[in-house]
Amino acid sequence: MKTYKTFYPILFLIILSACEVRMAPTEYWSKLFRTQTDSSYYQGKSESLANEIAEDIEEYEINKITVMDFVDEGNRTPILGEYLSSRVVQAFTARSLFQGRIFHVTQKGEVNETLQQLNLQHNFLYAKNDLKALGESLNSQAVLTGKITDLGTNIDMHLTLTDVVTGEVISSATQHLKRTRFAVEMLRQH
């Protein structure tokens, strides 16, 4: 009897020592319960929007665009709007996304300087005269504006590409973003 009392615990420990115990959640569960998003998530959303916009402008011979910082419902530029507009610029300048089609994007500092000279602000909607003045000043064929709307369950990012000469909306696209604490905080800060 005594041998069983000492033999079985030793055997149990030997078997247990050969097993790997993993205390961390598996990759599947980590993705399922992830509460925050990372930069690759926003990059993917921005690339999807850039692709949608680029598909719609095949018939137009537009290769130079100006990307404005995205605004919220109050036409103010939140940190999230600046961040996402930078991601869209990155997507438009990635040559691999558009099968060799090249887009030239106006540099952000030049955009801000021109807005200041024309006494304009980042906006979602511009009057035709303002668009024309922006186009001429920046040597741009189209202006891409964006609006970020907190819907409570998610955040919508809507983009509109407008021809600077005619004022015609050439293309528009919308993506739904996860409403994380990080995104809401960045949307509230201006």
Side-chain angles (χ1 to χ4, degrees):
M1 260 334 233
K2 288 186 178 186
T3 51
Y4 289 116
K5 286 183 179 180
T6 56
F7 178 71
Y8 283 122
I10 292 173
L11 182 62
F12 178 74
L13 288 174
I14 291 171
I15 291 172
L16 186 62
S17 67
C19 297
E20 179 182 340
V21 177
R22 184 174 179 175
M23 300 304 285
T26 65
E27 185 73 25
Y28 170 77
W29 292 108
S30 294
K31 286 182 181 177
L32 185 64
F33 291 113
R34 182 177 291 167
T35 57
Q36 296 295 317
T37 55
D38 56 7
S39 63
S40 63
Y41 169 79
Y42 293 109
Q43 180 179 354
K45 293 291 189 176
S46 299
E47 287 175 358
S48 293
L49 281 168
N51 279 324
E52 285 182 54
I53 296 287
E55 284 175 8
D56 290 344
I57 61 174
E58 288 291 326
E59 65 189 67
Y60 299 89
E61 293 184 12
I62 292 177
N63 60 9
K64 176 108 189 239
I65 61 174
T66 297
V67 177
M68 307 304 276
D69 284 341
F70 305 152
V71 297
D72 61 11
E73 297 93 356
N75 275 330
R76 295 171 299 179
T77 305
I79 293 173
L80 184 63
E82 291 178 29
Y83 175 75
L84 291 172
S85 66
S86 296
R87 285 301 203 167
V88 168
V89 167
Q90 179 183 4
F92 267 108
T93 57
R95 308 222 187 300
S96 61
L97 290 179
F98 304 111
Q99 296 98 21
R101 184 165 183 193
I102 297 172
F103 288 100
H104 300 281
V105 181
T106 308
Q107 195 264 348
K108 196 172 194 169
E110 189 178 348
V111 172
N112 289 336
E113 184 179 317
T114 301
L115 284 172
Q116 192 173 21
Q117 289 172 355
L118 296 173
N119 200 25
L120 295 173
Q121 299 290 323
H122 288 281
N123 207 337
F124 181 62
L125 301 172
Y126 287 100
K128 187 176 176 180
N129 294 339
D130 293 338
L131 280 171
K132 194 169 192 167
L134 279 169
E136 288 173 359
S137 297
L138 296 168
N139 192 24
S140 183
Q141 298 166 303
V143 173
L144 184 73
T145 58
K147 187 174 209 169
I148 303 169
T149 307
D150 186 351
L151 299 174
T153 55
N154 63 331
I155 296 173
D156 269 7
M157 179 170 61
H158 180 75
L159 304 185
T160 301
L161 185 71
T162 308
D163 186 306
V164 296
V165 175
T166 64
E168 173 186 351
V169 173
I170 299 169
S171 179
S172 67
T174 301
Q175 280 287 321
H176 309 290
L177 305 175
K178 293 178 184 173
R179 189 177 191 275
T180 63
R181 283 185 311 210
F182 171 73
V184 170
E185 187 63 33
M186 286 181 66
L187 188 57
R188 289 181 182 155
Q189 293 182 13
H190 298 90

